[in-house]
Amino acid sequence: MADEMSFDEELRLERKGADAGLNPMFGEWQHRFDFPPVPYGNGAAQRGEFRAAIQAELKNRWLYSNEIHLEITLHVDVQTVLETDEAADLDNYAKAILDGLKGPNGIMIDDTQVQALTISWIDGYRPPAFTIAAKGSPDDFVLKPQEFYEMPDGLWYPHGRYLWSQGGSEPCDDFNHFAGLSITELMSSTKRRARAEMRKGGADRLRSYQQAMYLSNSARGFHRSRIEDEFPMHARREWQAERARWAEADPERSTMIEESLRGIRDGHDRLIETMAKLG
């Protein structure tokens, strides 16, 4: 058995990647923005300028791909907050800041990923500013640029051509690209079929959803309405046709993928049947 990586080595690789902007340090990231926060109610033009200012400072080459916790701290003049009408409610600031953090140039795909949000203000004693701290699972990030692929469950999944490896970035060749898409396709299809069979067996919608999660992979799919237009999008028929052209050009390695998935698919079929009987 290969020796497990020591913590010092893990720390070195995490630090190497974080310094290069390739990963959040064990899932954590923070930044101070030395300009005033803008409330969401200030109008579209000012919100757009504020979002551009936030994203101009973001040097991360990754995106959180699953749920995160966010902590926002506004550094403001306490007298302005308490004795004037110039400061907005905290939730108004939160919405504008979240808009600046999502999308291809942000730190997350969509603000529905924010599972917990804390926002507060303190007397900054300096010009207005704000800090953001984010925390997610250490492995729940993907490297930019990301593209989205439609899967059998009707959701769209991020999939890029670069993978994090040993604190660096490695290009993903066609074999691994289509293998990854095929695995996500299989898991998505399995999840959809499991829900349908459980509903036939008498389980309600929520029960079916919860039970089918056991057959899902860790990748999170997004509803089309949650994905900004700047992300490249690939409809299911489009990328499947691309995969078919690759398989025709490289049948040997395409067969390797299909044979590997066949056993998984057969096992899932038996498991779905059992789950449906148990309800």
Side-chain angles (χ1 to χ4, degrees):
M1 180 182 293
D3 293 337
E4 292 186 4
M5 187 182 300
S6 69
F7 176 75
D8 286 345
E9 180 63 11
E10 290 183 5
L11 182 62
R12 186 189 70 80
L13 293 176
E14 281 287 314
R15 174 55 64 191
K16 176 184 176 184
D19 289 345
L22 290 171
N23 58 268
M25 187 70 180
F26 289 117
E28 298 187 15
W29 171 89
Q30 60 182 352
H31 187 79
R32 178 186 173 98
F33 298 86
D34 286 312
F35 49 85
V38 170
Y40 191 78
N42 274 27
Q46 193 170 359
R47 288 200 306 270
E49 293 174 359
F50 181 58
R51 184 186 196 202
I54 289 177
Q55 296 193 347
E57 292 207 8
L58 298 178
K59 306 305 180 186
N60 56 298
R61 296 159 60 188
W62 50 266
L63 290 166
Y64 284 114
S65 57
N66 220 312
E67 281 70 44
I68 61 172
H69 292 194
L70 275 184
E71 182 176 350
I72 302 171
T73 304
L74 310 181
H75 305 270
V76 295
D77 173 8
V78 64
Q79 184 178 8
T80 299
V81 173
L82 299 180
E83 297 185 359
T84 76
D85 61 358
E86 297 178 22
D89 296 337
L90 287 178
D91 60 337
N92 220 333
Y93 288 108
K95 177 59 177 172
I97 291 172
L98 290 179
D99 278 355
L101 296 177
K102 69 179 183 177
N105 299 315
I107 66 167
M108 61 184 174
I109 295 163
D110 180 66
D111 50 17
T112 55
Q113 294 173 240
V114 180
Q115 189 176 40
L117 173 64
T118 300
I119 182 168
S120 59
W121 63 265
I122 60 174
D123 194 346
Y125 298 102
R126 291 191 296 175
F130 59 99
T131 58
I132 300 174
K135 184 176 183 179
S137 173
D139 296 324
D140 284 343
F141 70 93
V142 291
L143 296 187
K144 299 179 181 181
Q146 283 294 305
E147 303 183 11
F148 280 80
Y149 293 79
E150 183 185 19
M151 290 294 163
D153 60 2
L155 300 178
W156 297 70
Y157 289 76
H159 193 75
R161 281 285 194 163
Y162 291 89
L163 302 174
W164 189 95
S165 176
Q166 300 297 306
S169 172
E170 290 188 359
C172 180
D173 62 14
D174 284 345
F175 173 79
N176 286 289
H177 173 67
F178 288 114
L181 287 176
S182 297
I183 291 170
T184 302
E185 179 185 36
L186 173 60
M187 299 303 293
S188 169
S189 176
T190 298
K191 179 178 67 175
R192 185 187 65 175
R193 290 189 296 113
R195 290 185 191 179
E197 291 301 318
M198 292 197 68
R199 292 299 299 273
K200 290 179 183 178
D204 62 22
R205 177 188 60 81
L206 183 58
R207 174 68 173 173
S208 299
Y209 171 84
Q210 292 170 333
Q211 290 296 98
M213 292 298 289
Y214 293 114
L215 296 174
S216 301
N217 63 358
S218 60
R220 169 177 170 166
F222 292 80
H223 189 271
R224 177 65 183 87
S225 64
R226 295 295 185 178
I227 306 168
E228 296 195 356
D229 293 337
E230 289 80 2
F231 283 110
M233 308 292 291
H234 301 276
R236 190 178 172 196
R237 288 185 178 180
E238 172 193 327
W239 71 259
Q240 286 178 331
E242 184 181 355
R243 181 179 59 185
R245 288 191 292 271
W246 169 77
E248 185 176 355
D250 195 347
E252 182 178 350
R253 296 211 293 174
S254 173
T255 300
M256 289 174 57
I257 295 174
E258 180 55 35
E259 289 179 350
S260 297
L261 295 179
R262 186 176 297 118
I264 300 175
R265 189 181 296 114
D266 292 343
H268 284 173
D269 288 343
R270 292 191 294 271
L271 186 55
I272 289 173
E273 182 179 357
T274 300
M275 291 173 65
K277 290 179 180 178
L278 296 176

